[in-house]
């Protein structure tokens, strides 16, 4: 079984922070790193995002204006030097240029000035990518994208600091590209999570979790995930109603203010009691129109439709419950 740092990679609003809280209860064996690559992606000298390109004050205020991708990896190495296994939760799109632009290895990680890696969609060398135990979490765009849009418009934008919605932060295409590259390089697979036979020693299975399954069957999903990653599962990992846990989580999530309020104030991860209501494209459009206006509804619909194929593709590999 792999003892590499576990990397749960996802896209925004996939219930990933709620799932992360499960593993933050295991501070006896795990050191959790909450979205560390956002520091270099948004704020540092190697930043790839356009969001704060013209806002030097925001980059300085973040405290990460000098953070490179090498700095983030060094921080993760230090986390792993304390005898605990590292558990990372982060966005795939933090690892690659936006808008499907060609990737080049981040300057701080290059072996030489002209170093390139053909086919690598990320700014992280393949040798470094291979050091992690990769797992994936997805959520249908019709739920993930409207939730993210809400974080980027009034009144919540005053809290998050994300003052406008950027479709290139939806994150589905980047997650798919990373998934395919890791499979191609045999960093994950070929065995699927849950398969009993045919798995090679040391092989990292293809482990994809759908947020709907997580919300419907949280204990079963957490247990299956632990089996695939070699983390000891305990049922009480799904409960965190104590002051120590709450303080730890509040500090860990502070840098992404406003995005994780529900997860911060939660006390456990329990199965939802209300089934999804049946929706049509027309009813979705009307809901978004009422909440955000006509133009915003069109933006959300276009972004949802653009990403459904990426979600469907990744969902075809998801564990079944």
């Amino acid at each position: 079984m792999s003892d590499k740092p576990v990397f749960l990679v996802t896209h925004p609003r996939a219930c990933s922070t709620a799932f992360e809280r499960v593993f933050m209860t295991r501070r006896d064996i795990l050191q959790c790193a909450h979205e560390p690559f956002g520091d270099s992606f948004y704020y540092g000298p190697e930043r790839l995002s356009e969001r704060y390109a013209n806002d030097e004050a925001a980059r300085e205020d973040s405290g990460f204006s000098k953070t490179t991708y090498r700095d983030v990896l060094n921080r993760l190495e230090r986390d792993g030097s304390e005898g605990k296994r590292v558990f990372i939760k982060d966005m795939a799109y933090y690892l690659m240029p936006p808008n499907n632009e060609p990737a080049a290895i981040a300057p701080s990680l290059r072996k030489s000035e002209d170093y390139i890696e053909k086919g690598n969609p990320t700014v992280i060398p393949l040798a470094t990518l291979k050091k992690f135990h990769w797992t994936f979490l997805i959520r249908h765009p019709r739920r993930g994208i409207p939730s993210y849009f809400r974080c980027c418009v009034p009144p919540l934008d005053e809290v998050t600091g994300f003052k406008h919605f950027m479709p290139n932060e939806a994150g589905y295409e980047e997650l798919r590209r990373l998934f395919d590259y890791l499979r191609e390089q045999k960093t994950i697979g070929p065995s699927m999570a849950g398969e009993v036979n045919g798995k090679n020693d040391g092989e990292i299975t293809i482990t994809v979790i759908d947020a709907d399954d997580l919300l419907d069957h949280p204990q079963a999903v957490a247990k299956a995930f632990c089996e695939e990653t070699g983390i000891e599962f305990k049922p009480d990992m799904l409960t965190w109603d104590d002051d120590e846990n709450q303080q730890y989580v509040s500090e860990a999530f502070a840098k992404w203010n406003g995005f994780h309020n529900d997860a911060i104030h939660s006390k456990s991860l329990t199965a939802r009691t209300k089934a999804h209501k049946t929706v049509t494209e027309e009813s979705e459009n009307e809901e978004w129109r009422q909440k955000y206006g006509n133009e915003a509804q069109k933006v959300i619909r276009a972004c949802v439709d653009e990403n459904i194929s990426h979600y469907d593709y990744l969902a075809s590999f998801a564990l079944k419950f």
Side-chain angles (χ1 to χ4, degrees):
M1 179 63 69
S2 165
D3 61 356
K4 296 177 179 180
V6 176
F7 202 133
L8 177 66
V9 66
T10 185
H11 55 78
R13 314 309 288 174
C15 305
S16 58
T17 305
F19 194 41
E20 183 182 9
R21 285 218 62 174
V22 171
F23 300 95
M24 294 177 85
T25 66
R26 295 305 310 273
R27 295 194 301 281
D28 55 327
I29 60 171
L30 298 175
Q31 178 66 45
C32 291
H34 178 70
E35 301 185 18
F37 288 97
D39 303 347
S40 49
F41 177 80
Y42 281 115
Y43 305 116
E46 298 171 337
R47 62 187 176 277
L48 303 171
S49 174
E50 305 154 348
R51 183 170 286 282
Y52 297 108
N54 300 314
D55 193 345
E56 183 178 358
R59 298 198 305 269
E60 290 291 335
D61 289 346
S62 74
F64 302 113
S65 64
K66 294 180 172 58
T67 301
T68 66
Y69 279 88
R70 165 61 68 190
D71 291 329
V72 175
L73 288 167
N74 287 346
R75 191 191 315 159
L76 294 174
E77 287 182 10
R78 288 195 297 272
D79 288 346
S81 68
E82 299 175 1
K84 297 180 183 179
R85 193 175 181 190
V86 178
F87 182 99
I88 306 147
K89 191 273 284 191
D90 221 332
M91 305 297 149
Y93 79 83
Y94 292 171
L95 305 179
M96 54 188 75
N99 305 316
N100 207 13
E101 295 175 5
I105 301 302
S108 62
L109 299 175
R110 293 177 191 166
K111 297 178 180 178
S112 61
E113 197 168 311
D114 58 351
Y115 180 72
I116 60 171
E117 286 191 357
K118 290 183 178 180
N120 186 343
T122 80
V123 300
I124 310 296
L126 176 60
T128 302
L129 296 176
K130 285 180 174 290
K131 294 179 180 180
F132 299 106
H133 185 126
W134 293 92
T135 61
F136 303 81
L137 178 63
I138 57 174
R139 189 185 188 190
H140 199 287
R142 68 161 52 100
R143 288 178 281 278
I145 288 170
S147 178
Y148 190 59
F149 187 91
R150 175 176 168 268
C151 295
C152 302
V153 297
L156 198 52
D157 66 333
E158 287 296 327
V159 182
T160 64
F162 279 34
K163 296 294 187 177
H164 57 282
F165 175 70
M166 297 173 64
N168 65 10
E169 292 178 340
Y172 290 84
E173 181 179 3
E174 290 82 3
L175 190 59
R176 177 177 180 170
R177 288 167 60 203
L178 177 61
F179 177 84
D180 280 343
Y181 181 65
L182 295 175
R183 283 186 72 209
E184 174 190 311
Q185 297 299 322
K186 297 181 173 53
T187 305
I188 58 172
S191 297
M192 300 283 290
E195 290 183 354
V196 177
N197 300 317
K199 181 178 164 184
N200 298 320
D201 289 343
E203 179 183 342
I204 294 174
T205 58
I206 296 170
T207 303
V208 180
I209 300 293
D210 193 298
D212 278 329
D213 291 321
L214 175 63
L215 296 175
D216 288 334
H217 314 286
Q219 180 161 318
V221 169
K223 185 175 182 181
F225 185 92
C226 286
E227 288 175 355
E228 298 301 326
T229 55
I231 298 171
E232 178 193 19
F233 174 75
K234 294 183 177 181
D236 60 6
M237 291 167 65
L238 280 75
T239 303
W240 43 79
D241 187 14
D242 63 88
D243 291 340
E244 185 180 353
N245 258 311
Q246 295 301 88
Q247 181 64 31
Y248 171 59
V249 164
S250 294
E251 293 172 359
F253 295 168
K255 69 177 179 179
W256 300 117
N257 192 26
F259 285 101
H260 307 312
N261 291 352
D262 289 345
I264 290 173
H265 298 300
S266 67
K267 297 180 179 180
S268 62
L269 184 59
T270 57
R272 60 186 171 192
T273 56
K274 294 182 180 179
H276 272 307
K277 61 182 180 181
T278 302
V279 297
T280 63
E281 185 171 318
E282 291 73 20
S283 67
E284 284 179 336
N285 288 342
E286 183 58 27
E287 179 185 350
W288 302 336
R289 188 179 296 113
Q290 289 184 13
K291 286 183 177 179
Y292 306 113
N294 289 333
E295 291 306 311
Q297 176 272 313
K298 293 175 185 176
V299 170
I300 296 171
R301 170 53 61 195
C303 192
V304 169
D305 289 350
E306 182 180 343
N307 286 287
I308 286 176
S309 63
H310 302 310
Y311 164 80
D312 286 343
Y313 172 76
L314 291 167
S316 71
F317 295 91
L319 269 162
K320 307 302 179 188
F321 294 92

